[in-house]
Amino acid sequence: MKQQPKVINVPKRKKPLATPSYIIRICLIICFVLCILLLSSPFFSARLYIRENLEVTPSITDAYTKLASQEEIDSAEQQLRHALDSLEKKKTHEESQSSETESKNGLQYTPVASANFEWSYTLQQGIDGKALAESVEEAKNIDRSLYTAESLDTLNTAVLNAQKYLCASVVVTQSVLQMAMGGSIGESLDSSLGGTISNSLFAMLLAAAPVVCFLTLCFDRKRHIKHVTCMVGAIVCVADIFLLLYPYVGSGAIWSIILYILICLFNIAGIYAKQQEDYIIAHPEKEAEFTEKHPQFVKALINYKSFSRKENKKNGSH
């Protein structure tokens, strides 16, 4: 007589045991939640340098590298102080109009809500630039909506001139949400770095893809559609990051790339696990063989099937 294979008794439970595909699906949902949260982190990060003609460049070799003398620093401080003292307030009927304070020199100094600016200065030894730096900070903190556009243009020119003599560089950081809201990179960088409609569309795609994948994971529980969608979404997002941001990839983009790589690995494991589960369910005659090799795996599947049958009977009786 052939020895009968041992079959594991399945305990009665109110809820099914977690199968591998279910666990992988939960891990994917958590990963995409983290990806969505990272959209508000810095994805774009670039250090820019001011040229002699008051334009900006991402290359330090193209920057204005001549260190200023004390006379040039003092002259720039006097010019900026004069521009601050000469600011003209708007008339009463002009206060309701929006203030246009953007400089025509290629760089807007005043930080806008859609970008984060961090300035740093370089001076040769023995040069005192403290007064000039303080004047620049004062110009930064004024309420520009109160003054006329002409006086603000003069102030902007004086600020840019001061930054040139201070040999300023600036780190500009933006999140995906900031880039998607109007391509605001172009407000602070030259046209070669962004601000176009295509970059805004790329940023919107980068924001929409994890949301679509998350919703697919929530509603698709039994089919392979979620794995295909998540795999395509992860690949598109990684390609989008390099097309849109390289080489100015920020910390948020780096963490997102790591998560998308994990998502691809989870998807491969999820597809394999789902195929195994479907095969075991479709071949009940091999249940004992599979139970001997993978007891916990089959235990969860058997319990899942028995739970589903009970639920179907209850629904049928109603």
Side-chain angles (χ1 to χ4, degrees):
M1 293 179 63
K2 292 184 179 180
Q3 186 179 358
Q4 293 295 330
K6 296 180 180 180
V7 179
I8 293 179
N9 294 325
V10 180
K12 295 182 179 180
R13 291 175 177 265
K14 294 182 179 180
K15 293 183 179 180
L17 296 172
T19 59
S21 62
Y22 175 81
I23 296 173
I24 292 172
R25 175 172 162 268
I26 296 301
C27 292
L28 285 171
I29 290 176
I30 294 173
C31 286
F32 276 109
V33 169
L34 294 176
C35 289
I36 295 172
L37 293 177
L38 282 173
L39 293 177
S40 59
S41 302
F43 266 62
F44 176 89
S45 181
R47 179 176 289 278
L48 306 176
Y49 304 89
I50 296 182
R51 292 174 175 171
E52 187 175 3
N53 58 359
L54 301 182
E55 294 180 351
V56 291
T57 173
S59 175
I60 190 172
T61 57
D62 298 333
Y64 180 63
T65 55
K66 176 186 175 182
L67 297 179
S69 63
Q70 188 65 58
E71 290 77 13
E72 290 172 325
I73 293 291
D74 294 339
S75 175
E77 200 279 329
Q78 291 176 4
Q79 179 185 357
L80 181 53
R81 177 52 53 188
H82 177 72
L84 285 168
D85 296 337
S86 302
L87 284 173
E88 298 180 3
K89 288 196 173 183
K90 289 181 179 180
K91 296 180 181 179
T92 305
H93 68 279
E94 292 179 345
E95 290 182 355
S96 59
Q97 299 177 355
S98 60
S99 174
E100 298 181 357
T101 62
E102 297 176 352
S103 171
K104 299 179 181 179
N105 292 316
L107 175 69
Q108 180 181 347
Y109 170 73
T110 305
V112 292
S114 55
N116 179 30
F117 294 77
E118 182 182 345
W119 291 92
S120 61
Y121 304 113
T122 304
L123 294 173
Q124 59 179 319
Q125 189 174 6
I127 299 298
D128 183 13
K130 184 178 179 181
L132 182 57
E134 290 176 351
S135 298
V136 171
E137 282 298 313
E138 182 180 347
K140 169 185 174 181
N141 295 323
I142 65 171
D143 186 356
R144 297 186 169 227
S145 62
L146 301 177
Y147 303 100
T148 61
E150 292 79 7
S151 62
L152 288 172
D153 281 340
T154 303
L155 178 62
N156 285 340
T157 302
V159 169
L160 290 169
N161 188 57
Q163 290 170 343
K164 180 189 74 172
Y165 287 122
L166 289 170
C167 293
S169 63
V170 59
V171 176
V172 183
T173 58
Q174 289 184 312
S175 67
V176 172
L177 300 179
Q178 290 168 336
M179 287 185 287
M181 294 170 60
S184 53
I185 295 177
E187 297 175 359
S188 54
L189 317 185
D190 61 17
S191 59
S192 64
L193 291 178
T196 62
I197 296 177
S198 61
N199 282 348
S200 296
L201 294 176
F202 275 125
M204 290 179 184
L205 176 62
L206 193 57
V211 176
V212 172
C213 294
F214 171 77
L215 294 176
T216 305
L217 284 166
C218 290
F219 291 103
D220 181 22
R221 300 184 178 183
K222 298 181 180 180
R223 296 176 294 177
H224 286 287
I225 295 177
K226 58 179 175 293
H227 295 301
V228 176
T229 304
C230 293
M231 184 71 77
V232 172
I235 294 172
V236 167
C237 287
V238 172
D240 197 350
I241 288 173
F242 284 101
L243 288 173
L244 179 63
L245 304 176
Y246 186 81
Y248 312 109
V249 179
S251 58
I254 293 174
W255 283 109
S256 294
I257 290 172
I258 294 173
L259 281 174
Y260 286 128
I261 293 174
L262 286 176
I263 286 170
C264 290
L265 296 177
F266 277 133
N267 270 292
I268 295 172
I271 292 172
Y272 177 76
K274 189 68 171 64
Q275 288 177 340
Q276 288 290 94
E277 292 170 12
D278 292 342
Y279 183 79
I280 293 173
I281 293 174
H283 296 79
E285 70 279 1
K286 296 185 178 182
E287 188 173 287
E289 178 184 347
F290 286 123
T291 301
E292 188 174 355
K293 292 181 179 180
H294 309 286
Q296 293 300 323
F297 183 26
V298 178
K299 188 177 179 181
L301 280 176
I302 297 172
N303 187 253
Y304 178 81
K305 288 191 296 181
S306 62
F307 180 79
S308 300
R309 288 167 185 166
K310 290 179 181 179
E311 290 295 320
N312 292 333
K313 288 180 180 179
K314 288 181 181 179
N315 295 333
S317 62
H318 290 298

